[in-house]
Amino acid sequence: VRIEATEDADIQAIAAAGSGSAKVGVSGSLGINTITSQTTASSSAATLVATGDVGLRATDMSEILSITGAASGAGNAAVGAAGSYNEIGGGVTAELSGGSANGANVRVDAERKGTLDVWAIAGSAAGTAGFAGSIALNNAGGATTARIDDGAVVRTTGNAVVTAEADDFIKS
């Protein structure tokens, strides 16, 4: 018996700007990207019976690729700015709530492996003054929960295993 839920959302976003002028050039770009889904694999007040294994598994492997850039050039003054906010959140839950699970092995697993690959780049060139800046704000989080609760009864001839793992990766 297998109960599985998988989220594999992907965002690929590019925001770019450029300017050029004999006197003053200004450019900017902004990217805002969020994935906040709830991924749940659960059994509530049910009887799960198998001669093999019983497994409940929730997995979130969402990814965001965000590239923001700005470039300005001018004879007198140039300004370039790029910014990005990126978030992978929400919750990942695997749960056996009430009822029972009978099998050779019983596993309840929740896993999050979010990836944020983010680039924010700005540049400027001018005869008198050039200003450039970039910022990337990134958040990877949310609850990752695996549990057996509400009086659930587990019978196994092998192992009963409950795991929750969050292994998010930010490259910025």
Side-chain angles (χ1 to χ4, degrees):
V1 174
R2 288 186 354 194
I3 299 171
E4 296 183 0
T6 301
E7 175 66 69
D8 193 11
D10 290 317
I11 294 176
Q12 295 181 354
I14 298 173
S19 68
S21 172
K23 293 187 178 191
V24 177
V26 177
S27 67
S29 68
L30 175 66
I32 299 174
N33 306 290
T34 61
I35 299 172
T36 56
S37 51
Q38 300 292 324
T39 307
T40 303
S42 68
S43 173
S44 180
T47 301
L48 306 176
V49 179
T51 56
D53 294 342
V54 173
L56 290 92
R57 180 170 182 78
T59 305
D60 186 338
M61 298 180 299
S62 297
E63 295 183 28
I64 294 175
L65 169 62
S66 174
I67 301 170
T68 56
S72 292
N76 291 334
V79 178
S84 182
Y85 174 78
N86 305 283
E87 176 184 8
I88 295 177
V92 180
T93 304
E95 97 181 302
L96 175 62
S97 181
S100 64
N102 305 312
N105 296 291
V106 175
R107 291 191 63 96
V108 179
D109 299 308
E111 180 180 29
R112 174 194 310 280
K113 285 189 173 187
T115 301
L116 294 162
D117 191 356
V118 178
W119 298 84
I121 304 162
S124 67
T128 304
F131 303 95
S134 64
I135 186 168
L137 303 172
N138 302 300
N139 180 27
T144 304
T145 307
R147 65 178 165 236
I148 298 173
D149 64 4
D150 289 335
V153 175
V154 175
R155 292 184 187 92
T156 177
T157 57
N159 297 304
V161 179
V162 178
T163 62
E165 179 182 4
D167 190 18
D168 295 314
F169 180 68
I170 299 174
K171 180 168 64 171
S172 181

